Amino acid sequence: MMMDFECEKSLLEYVRKSSPPPFLLKTYMLVEDPATDEVVSWNNDGTGFVVWQPAEFARDLLPTLFKHSNFSSFVRQLNTYGFRKVATSRWEFCNNKFRKGEQDLLCEIRRRKAWTNKPQSATQNQSAPKELDEDQRSSSTSSSSGYTTLVDENKRLKKENGALNTELSSMKSKCKGLLDLVAMYANSEKEEEEADERPMLFGVRLEVHGERERKRKISESARVLLSQSCI
């Protein structure tokens, strides 16, 4: 019985080592397919592959073999299998065991141990609260500054509004005075025409002493008030 168990275990281990991880096999199929060369293909010497159009790769190709369409998740998965991004101007990835025409080498690629990422994750988790506090303080400072600016702006607008109201009241007063003077002058003229007792000579009324001076003063007063209202 023990021998059968050992044989079964050995067989499973052999199958595992002789079969490439599904992720690598699927990625190899995408790169190898000539129909997808415009989106993803081997580099010039076949030592790596290039994702020429990341958006189309994530949208059209990833869902055909994977259960997601997230390009960032795909890149993180590559990193766990030891792939390196070898170009800054494009998404080119290389692994010594991932080569054009050498699919059998995929079996030699092993996933990195999960524990190697734990220290980094712990460090990130420890720094996260600090970064969050800094973001909150920055947001609070920004909000306080914005509130102070709004208060100052409101005070300025109230002051300007008060000055405009004062100027408007002054203009209304001047206009009223002008209208009253014009009305008074018009009524005076009308009354004079109705009750003009000046003597007539050959059908023309003679000017009474002082009448012309009175009319001149009224006209000057009207012009002064009109000029003040226009200032």
Side-chain angles (χ1 to χ4, degrees), residues 127-168:
S127 61
K130 181 179 179 181
E131 293 175 357
L132 181 60
D133 291 342
E134 291 177 354
D135 291 342
Q136 290 175 342
R137 287 197 298 270
S138 176
S139 177
S140 176
T141 302
S142 177
S143 300
S144 177
S145 177
Y147 176 76
T148 303
T149 301
L150 288 176
V151 170
D152 294 340
E153 181 70 9
N154 190 40
K155 290 181 179 178
R156 185 184 66 80
L157 290 176
K158 283 184 177 180
K159 185 177 180 180
E160 291 182 357
N161 190 42
L164 290 174
N165 285 333
T166 301
E167 185 176 352
L168 180 60

Side-chain angles (χ1 to χ4, degrees), residues 51-67:
V51 180
W52 302 105
Q53 301 180 40
E56 288 76 4
F57 179 80
R59 183 191 63 209
D60 301 332
L61 299 184
L62 282 182
T64 62
L65 295 177
F66 301 94
K67 295 181 179 180

Side-chain angles (χ1 to χ4, degrees), residues 165-181 225-226 228-230:
N165 285 333
T166 301
E167 185 176 352
L168 180 60
S169 298
S170 177
M171 292 296 296
K172 286 182 177 180
S173 178
K174 292 179 179 179
C175 288
K176 184 177 182 304
L178 178 61
L179 291 175
D180 291 342
L181 182 61
L225 187 58
L226 179 61
Q228 289 178 349
S229 65
C230 294

Side-chain angles (χ1 to χ4, degrees), residues 187-200:
N187 291 334
S188 177
E189 288 289 332
K190 183 176 181 181
E191 291 175 356
E192 288 179 357
E193 290 177 359
E194 292 176 353
D196 194 351
E197 297 180 353
R198 289 176 300 167
M200 297 181 65

